[in-house]
Amino acid sequence: MERDYQSGYGGYEGPRSRNRRPVTDYGSTMVQWMRKRQPAYKGRPLLEMERPSPSYVVDAHDSAIRAASYSHSDDWLVSADQDGVVKYWQPNFNNVKAFQAHNDPVRDLAFSPTDSKFVTASDDASLKIWDFAGGVEESTLTGHQWDTKSVDWHPTKGLLVSGSKDHQVKLWDPRTGRCLTTLHGHKNTITKTLFEPTRGQLLATSARDQTARVFDLRMMRDVFLLRGHEKDISTLIWHPIHPSLLTTGGADGAMHHYLLDEQNAPEGTSATLSPYDSPDSIDVPAQTIYPAHRVPYAHDFAIWTMDWHPLGHILASGSNDRVTRFWTRARPGEKQCFRDRYHIGQAAAEAQGTYDRRDGKKQMREEEEMERENEAEGLVDQIMPPKPPGLPGLPGISALSDGTSVGGAQNMIPGMGSAISLLPPMPGAMPPLPPGIDLEKLKKMFGGQLPPPPPIPGANGAGFPPLPPFNFPGGVPPPNMLPPGFIVPNGFPLPRPPNGVPGFGPQQQQNGAASIRRRAPLPSQQESLQEEMRRGKFQRPR
């Protein structure tokens, strides 16, 4: 068996008995289909070839992203936003190029079969064809009378299809920019236009008239009319392998699967003949097709986009309820899955016991509790330690009972012994003395007796006496301004403060208001300029 070396992707893949099979890259925010199993980086062991790459969350655009599409080679991703900006991305989400494609929102875009060009549809009622390599506009297709909502490029031919808010579906020649034909079948805004990818002979369109139509490009007419939705059809998708399987998504969150070779008419509805089976295939009306399978509660809100896995066994749907769900066929003999809340509704599933609402609420509560715990842990560093009480007027000295304080300072005043109690004295009582103070020595300091305690404010009209001014006659305050029972010792005249001290003497206001310090007038600009000119500045005229 011949060994296979892949120098372009780094490393030896080992012997292979069959060709490479494509795999899905689950590490992308959009579904990406990889043609090779080995990732595009070197130095990885053989056993890690199919390991999923890490997921990416990229702040890609400044406004809402309205359209995105991978190239057929899976080497590039093109996205467009609400502001009309188009950006190029590599698979590792490296932004390579960005330019202004339209002045209005871009609603859809599609690559050509060779990936050398792509087309954009915008709310300015136009289509633009761009050269991918240079990012240069090649042509502008005009003809719609209202916003263009959808566009698609034929998988093998030079043919474009577009749907607009004017209820029309148009086919275009991308080489000349000429409109080939206009298909009139819908009665409301076109929401999606899509070529069948395997054979390219059919065209599917959906609209807000609750119907979808399938056109045959060989006859240029509608051959199937898809009914069954109770609300607008917002999107549709062809199966990648079976050309007769078509899936639609509605504005109410319902998902329907149609088989074009089976009518599935409900009871009481007469069967109709397909144009392919009718002898008059031109004048016979389109055959009405009903869903082969319904998922009426697939999402809570409108389904905006759907896409099949390239092997056709998994369907991904994205909705306005901010949920992406993956759907697959039931296993043989399994019928319990058709009685879940997506098929019969949440209330009926709870009644049958196939769904428990408490599980969802329990999960929601756990997520909320985890989020609160994370927020609390994030705020731990922002919580400040409690501030201990300190002595009034002595910053940095706390009042802890053990004699210590914050920052290493002690709550003891030098010469006063141990800690000082912060309990304020009761009015009319002697304040408590700090421990270690000799009362007899304190009496000698006050002339043999301690001063009486201050009276209780408001009791018998007594109150705290006002602070005496320093400019008393003789330096001794009058008796009515002294505390009751206080005797002025001999030689106690207070010194008169010198004149000019702010707040005392003649500058003290007699009405008891706060003193005002008068400032000298500020120099004018002219005086300041003259002073600077005397210093040698600003001598040269401008």
Side-chain angles (χ1 to χ4, degrees), residues 170-245:
K170 290 181 178 292
L171 296 173
W172 307 82
D173 184 359
R175 302 177 183 86
T176 62
R178 185 172 61 92
C179 178
L180 300 177
T181 186
T182 301
L183 304 177
H184 302 273
H186 291 282
K187 300 178 181 179
N188 211 323
T189 302
I190 308 298
T191 57
K192 190 68 175 178
T193 57
L194 201 61
F195 288 110
E196 198 274 318
T198 58
R199 300 177 181 175
Q201 299 174 354
L202 301 179
L203 167 67
T205 62
S206 62
R208 298 183 62 181
D209 56 4
Q210 305 177 11
T211 63
R213 292 179 180 269
V214 178
F215 295 85
D216 194 321
L217 299 178
R218 295 166 295 181
M219 296 187 290
M220 281 299 173
R221 57 151 298 175
D222 53 339
V223 291
F224 300 111
L225 174 62
L226 309 183
R227 294 186 179 274
H229 278 276
E230 298 179 358
K231 297 293 182 179
D232 304 342
I233 300 179
S234 53
T235 185
L236 55 83
I237 187 69
W238 289 95
H239 194 274
I241 297 177
H242 303 290
S244 61
L245 178 57

Side-chain angles (χ1 to χ4, degrees), residues 106-109 121-123 125 127 144 146-151 162-166 189-193 208:
V106 177
R107 295 297 179 178
D108 201 1
L109 59 89
S122 174
D123 281 352
L127 304 174
H144 283 290
W146 214 344
D147 303 351
T148 308
K149 296 298 184 181
S150 179
V151 67
S162 63
S164 173
K165 201 173 180 179
D166 58 4
T189 302
I190 308 298
T191 57
K192 190 68 175 178
T193 57
R208 298 183 62 181

Side-chain angles (χ1 to χ4, degrees), residues 2-339:
E2 183 181 359
R3 294 174 180 260
D4 188 4
Y5 292 88
Q6 293 293 322
S7 60
Y9 292 91
Y12 164 60
E13 279 196 334
R16 306 182 66 94
S17 58
R18 55 183 176 181
N19 296 331
R20 294 181 182 84
R21 296 170 296 165
V23 297
T24 302
D25 180 13
Y26 294 98
S28 303
T29 54
M30 295 182 59
V31 177
Q32 179 187 2
W33 186 246
M34 297 178 62
R35 302 297 176 183
K36 299 180 177 60
R37 286 178 171 267
Q38 187 174 0
Y41 49 86
K42 301 180 180 180
R44 292 296 180 184
L46 179 64
L47 298 179
E48 297 186 3
M49 286 184 179
E50 298 185 16
R51 186 178 63 178
S53 58
S55 301
Y56 296 94
V57 179
V58 182
D59 188 7
H61 287 262
D62 297 333
S63 59
I65 300 176
R66 297 301 182 186
S69 177
Y70 274 98
S71 62
H72 295 91
S73 63
D74 297 322
D75 293 334
W76 296 95
L77 170 68
V78 176
S79 60
D81 61 13
Q82 179 76 14
D83 297 333
V85 177
V86 171
K87 292 188 177 183
Y88 293 178
W89 304 87
Q90 290 177 330
N92 60 352
F93 285 93
N94 178 32
N95 184 213
V96 178
K97 187 178 183 62
F99 58 91
Q100 188 76 34
H102 295 266
N103 295 326
D104 292 327
V106 177
R107 295 297 179 178
D108 201 1
L109 59 89
F111 272 95
S112 66
T114 59
D115 292 338
S116 61
K117 306 178 189 301
F118 67 95
V119 59
T120 57
S122 174
D123 281 352
D124 58 6
S126 68
L127 304 174
K128 289 186 179 181
I129 300 177
W130 303 84
D131 177 64
F132 177 77
V136 181
E137 176 186 347
E138 290 191 350
S139 60
T140 301
L141 312 182
T142 57
H144 283 290
Q145 305 302 320
W146 214 344
D147 303 351
T148 308
K149 296 298 184 181
S150 179
V151 67
D152 192 25
W153 205 306
H154 196 276
T156 58
K157 297 178 174 59
L159 184 64
L160 297 176
V161 61
S162 63
S164 173
K165 201 173 180 179
D166 58 4
H167 313 171
Q168 297 178 1
V169 176
K170 290 181 178 292
L171 296 173
W172 307 82
D173 184 359
R175 302 177 183 86
T176 62
R178 185 172 61 92
C179 178
L180 300 177
T181 186
T182 301
L183 304 177
H184 302 273
H186 291 282
K187 300 178 181 179
N188 211 323
T189 302
I190 308 298
T191 57
K192 190 68 175 178
T193 57
L194 201 61
F195 288 110
E196 198 274 318
T198 58
R199 300 177 181 175
Q201 299 174 354
L202 301 179
L203 167 67
T205 62
S206 62
R208 298 183 62 181
D209 56 4
Q210 305 177 11
T211 63
R213 292 179 180 269
V214 178
F215 295 85
D216 194 321
L217 299 178
R218 295 166 295 181
M219 296 187 290
M220 281 299 173
R221 57 151 298 175
D222 53 339
V223 291
F224 300 111
L225 174 62
L226 309 183
R227 294 186 179 274
H229 278 276
E230 298 179 358
K231 297 293 182 179
D232 304 342
I233 300 179
S234 53
T235 185
L236 55 83
I237 187 69
W238 289 95
H239 194 274
I241 297 177
H242 303 290
S244 61
L245 178 57
L246 185 65
T247 304
T248 60
D252 56 353
M255 182 189 303
H256 291 177
H257 301 279
Y258 295 88
L259 292 175
L260 301 184
D261 50 3
E262 296 181 6
Q263 187 178 4
N264 297 307
E267 297 182 0
T269 304
S270 59
T272 57
L273 194 62
S274 170
Y276 298 116
D277 301 330
S278 175
D280 188 6
S281 60
I282 299 177
D283 297 333
V284 67
Q287 184 182 18
T288 303
I289 304 294
Y290 294 92
H293 182 75
R294 304 169 188 255
V295 188
Y297 305 98
H299 287 274
D300 297 333
F301 296 98
I303 300 176
W304 291 122
T305 181
M306 295 186 299
D307 197 10
W308 281 98
H309 188 280
L311 296 181
H313 66 294
I314 296 177
L315 173 64
S317 61
S319 170
N320 200 32
D321 57 6
R322 299 182 296 179
V323 174
T324 300
R325 289 192 170 99
F326 297 87
W327 311 85
T328 185
R329 294 183 61 182
R331 289 173 292 186
E334 183 179 4
K335 298 182 180 180
Q336 188 70 16
C337 62
F338 301 112
R339 292 194 294 268

